[in-house]
Amino acid sequence: MNDAAAPNPQMTGDPDGADHRPLLRRRSTSAAGAQGAPQSAAARRGRSIAGWIIVGTIALAAMLPTHFVVESAGPALNTIGEVDGTAMLTVTGKPTYPTSGALDMTTVYVQGGGQQRLGFFNVLSGWINPRQDVLPEEMVLPRGTTSEQQSEQNTVMMDDSQQLSTAAALHELDIPFTQHLSVAGFATEQNAKALKTGDQLVAINGTTVTDLALLKDELQKAGEKPSELEILRDGKPLTVTVNTTAGPGGQRQLGILLGSGFDFPVDVTFGLENVGGPSAGMMFALAIVDELTEGEMTGGKHFAGTGAITADGQVQPIGGIAQKMVGAKSNGAQVFLAPAENCTDVVGRVPAGLDVVKVETLDQARAAVEGIGGGKDPKSFPTCQ
């Protein structure tokens, strides 16, 4: 466009004026300039409008909520220590012994999701930051679940985790305790008239119910026939008749949701608040084992870890382990205990100076802590590499 308004001097011909073609070119150029001026203004206006559209689109994108969450490292808390002057756990009912060092449970901050969705630039920052992870909202907050509901569920899972960690620790130390199953809710209506929420299962067809595996076996033996279920309702014994349907794989199902309860010979009080989820189970179990055994299990060293736990001491995978390792290292941990099933999330994300030991059971985790606490090289234990 500027070439049309001010022609290149080299296009005007010879400098002595002998050639008359420059006059024609100047006139033609002048005409082109006259026509070109309004085209130039229109083009400028077009570019201006396009620019404002782009700016407006970016601004709108920045303002619109996204369906992503950003995970980052949360605090690491010593399960055999204190938080704000309150012991993380206290064991009574059996002799306890001094502890040292640290057995940190690790946490993750989750931003966004539910009614607190993040804007585009918050998510972009998470993608850029190597110490954060961006995940689809559905991976953290199931569709249709509010933030408040998720918080309540996390609180329930933490309570269950604390019970399971006590059971796992006592199982590891061969200290007897009893477990019972109770009705937590109903998946179908088939036995909703026979049972009520809170009913404790005592026996089925004359066999004492000790765990879920036994209950399933007895239901399978009965097949399509109804079963006689002995229960405790409000502390009073009662026998009811229940029916089953065939589920996936042919397993007979009662259509009820079960919860676990325990009767322990010790009382474990947990002093943790405002943290939810099941992932502290293994570290709580290690802390209880340490409290109930002579000698200082850690040897004064600083350990951290994560992993859900079952009553018989199986360590289960969790989410956010990359951020948890960052939080552990920032808090001074030297060794991190990771569930074996999380190894694919660990490789390539381990902070410099942190040794990671993979574990499948509480027994393996205990052996690693005691061994390293006693002077063994952390690299002599299984890793995720």
Side-chain angles (χ1 to χ4, degrees), residues 79-81 89-91 94-99 286-294 297:
T79 57
I80 52 176
L89 61 84
T90 304
V91 182
K94 283 191 176 294
T96 58
Y97 303 90
T99 61
L286 283 172
I288 295 169
V289 170
D290 197 7
E291 292 269 358
L292 291 173
T293 54
E294 292 189 64
M297 186 165 67

Side-chain angles (χ1 to χ4, degrees), residues 56-335:
T57 301
I58 293 174
L60 181 61
M63 294 172 61
L64 288 175
T66 66
H67 290 272
F68 292 95
V69 298
V70 176
E71 291 185 340
S72 56
L77 307 170
N78 184 10
T79 57
I80 52 176
E82 296 183 347
V83 176
D84 297 329
T86 300
M88 283 282 283
L89 61 84
T90 304
V91 182
T92 57
K94 283 191 176 294
T96 58
Y97 303 90
T99 61
S100 67
L103 292 169
D104 287 354
M105 59 165 281
T106 48
T107 63
V108 171
Y109 282 131
V110 179
Q111 296 174 280
Q115 288 75 49
Q116 300 174 346
R117 291 198 172 97
L118 298 178
F120 171 77
F121 287 118
N122 297 99
V123 175
L124 180 61
S125 176
W127 273 319
I128 295 171
N129 191 333
R131 291 195 167 194
Q132 294 183 332
D133 279 336
V134 177
L135 302 172
E137 180 182 349
E138 289 78 8
M139 292 185 65
V140 177
L141 192 69
R143 188 178 295 274
T145 304
T146 66
S147 301
E148 289 76 12
Q149 290 171 332
Q150 182 69 12
S151 179
E152 291 174 1
Q153 292 172 13
N154 282 336
T155 299
V156 171
M157 286 190 288
M158 173 57 85
D159 292 341
D160 289 344
S161 174
Q162 291 171 348
Q163 291 292 300
L164 290 170
S165 65
T166 304
L170 297 183
H171 179 271
E172 172 68 18
L173 297 173
D174 295 322
I175 298 174
F177 63 91
T178 58
Q179 178 180 8
H180 58 261
L181 300 177
S182 59
V183 179
F186 295 91
T188 69
E189 295 297 316
Q190 62 183 349
N191 289 305
K193 293 183 179 179
L195 295 168
K196 291 185 177 180
T197 299
D199 287 349
Q200 181 178 323
L201 310 190
V202 177
I204 182 168
N205 299 327
T207 301
T208 301
V209 175
T210 55
D211 55 36
L212 181 58
L214 184 143
L215 177 64
K216 287 183 175 180
D217 287 344
E218 292 300 318
L219 290 174
Q220 206 66 13
K221 289 178 185 177
E224 297 181 0
K225 297 179 181 178
S227 291
E228 297 299 308
L229 193 62
E230 297 174 42
I231 63 173
L232 284 176
R233 179 176 294 168
D234 299 326
K236 298 178 181 179
L238 184 67
T239 299
V240 297
T241 300
V242 292
N243 298 292
T244 61
T245 55
Q251 175 65 50
R252 306 304 299 183
Q253 296 182 341
L254 289 169
I256 62 176
L257 304 175
L258 292 172
S260 291
F262 302 92
D263 295 313
F264 298 127
V266 297
D267 183 26
V268 182
T269 303
F270 296 86
L272 182 65
E273 296 181 355
N274 301 321
V275 177
S279 65
M282 179 182 69
M283 299 310 294
F284 275 136
L286 283 172
I288 295 169
V289 170
D290 197 7
E291 292 269 358
L292 291 173
T293 54
E294 292 189 64
E296 298 175 355
M297 186 165 67
T298 68
K301 292 185 171 61
H302 196 147
F303 293 83
T306 188
I309 197 79
T310 65
D312 61 353
Q314 301 298 309
V315 177
Q316 299 178 319
I318 48 74
I321 194 167
Q323 286 73 41
K324 290 178 179 180
M325 290 189 294
V326 171
K329 183 67 173 71
S330 298
N331 199 46
Q334 301 156 305
V335 179

